[in-house]
Amino acid sequence: MYLTKDEERMLSGEEGEGVRKCMEIVAALGEIYGAEKMVPIRSAQVSGVTYKNLGEAGIEFIEELIKNGAKARILGTLNPCEMDLEDWEDIGIDAETAGKQKRIVDIFSRLGIKPVCTCTPYFTINLPKFGEHIAWGESSAVSFANSVLGARTNREGGPSALAAAVVGRTALYGYHLDENRKPTHTVNVNVAIRESSDFGALGYHVGKTVQNGVPYFKGVKAASQDQLKSLGAAMGAWGAVALYHVEGVTPEAKRGITAAGEQLAFGEAELKTAYKELDSASDDPDLVYLGCPHCSIDEVREIAGLVNGKKLKVPLWVIAARPINQQAEKLGYKKTVEAAGGKLLSDICLVVGNIDKLGYKTLAINSAKGAFYLASYAGRGVHFGTTRQCVDAAVNGKWK
Ligand code: F3S
């Protein structure tokens, strides 16, 4: 792989052992995937930030990098962690877990990564522009950045995104290249899909079928950013889709990428089946969990509107990135959610945390991605439905 003078300097250790190690990681990936050169990146999104994920070995690795002069040279943000970094006690997180998690976020901060813990960094300080190269981890964020924003990233792991942040570059392969951004499948959508959970159901069906392909959707009349967020998150979880296009909606489809590849159909029957398969629990929920991926301000507004003046029988957690949460506080949505008995939280993802310790057994959720991880990885009962259905379950204590 061709290296510029600067890159050679980093690899030779002239900028310190920490930078050398990071350049070694990025260069090794480039060699494995046959990259011809590296490309400067605008931002990184670092995943794997819990103690369960990093352990002492991971912590030591980052401490060592810092000691040896490594520092992020571009904007970096963090994935969700296992608690709200401020309101952790309130939601039943023990002091030992909190101490470990705070220590990890602090270490990343010392490395120069901003302690904004969210899977929707694009709603905060980390919003890539069309065509920009970035190095992001977290499948739903990757999918959103590639597909909805038209930025370019592979699905990075925690160490490779961190290394890319330190050297400010990534190897030019995969979704950074035009030839890998063309559709492999065309999905003909023959049913009206309106709710975000409908988009999640569509993503569930398509993700399972196309795996790591690049689907091109036809027949989707309109889609909001939140609905696309739900679609991409589902395809990244039930398959490994990191990029998709929607005719007339997503930026590359508007700029000339056209339908191609194997034809698939999604109609009324597939939509019904997807809801049926995703809604797998028999008990009523003991937690209603909205914000997977983390909510936009519009989603928080919608939820606040639905709970306004009500009293909840089942705990309701609404998760949004901290800057969105602060905006929601100013606009009065937080107060409304809390007056009903719900919580508006930041930083947390129940999937990466230790849900066993919190004791919840059955969750109601509007996210097909959440349904996948909470059922198969966390072994919980999951009800899947629209946002309104989930809020109704919190109000009535029953799933309908
Ligand atoms: Fe985000 Fe966790 Fe869902 S990272 S997309 S809240 S599984």
Side-chain angles (χ1 to χ4, degrees), residues 79-80 119 138 140 233 289 291-294 348-349 351-352 369-370 373:
N79 231 31
C119 46
E138 209 291 295
S140 78
Y289 182 73
C292 171
H294 287 178
I348 189 170
C349 163
V351 169
V352 301
K369 173 176 178 175
Y373 284 106

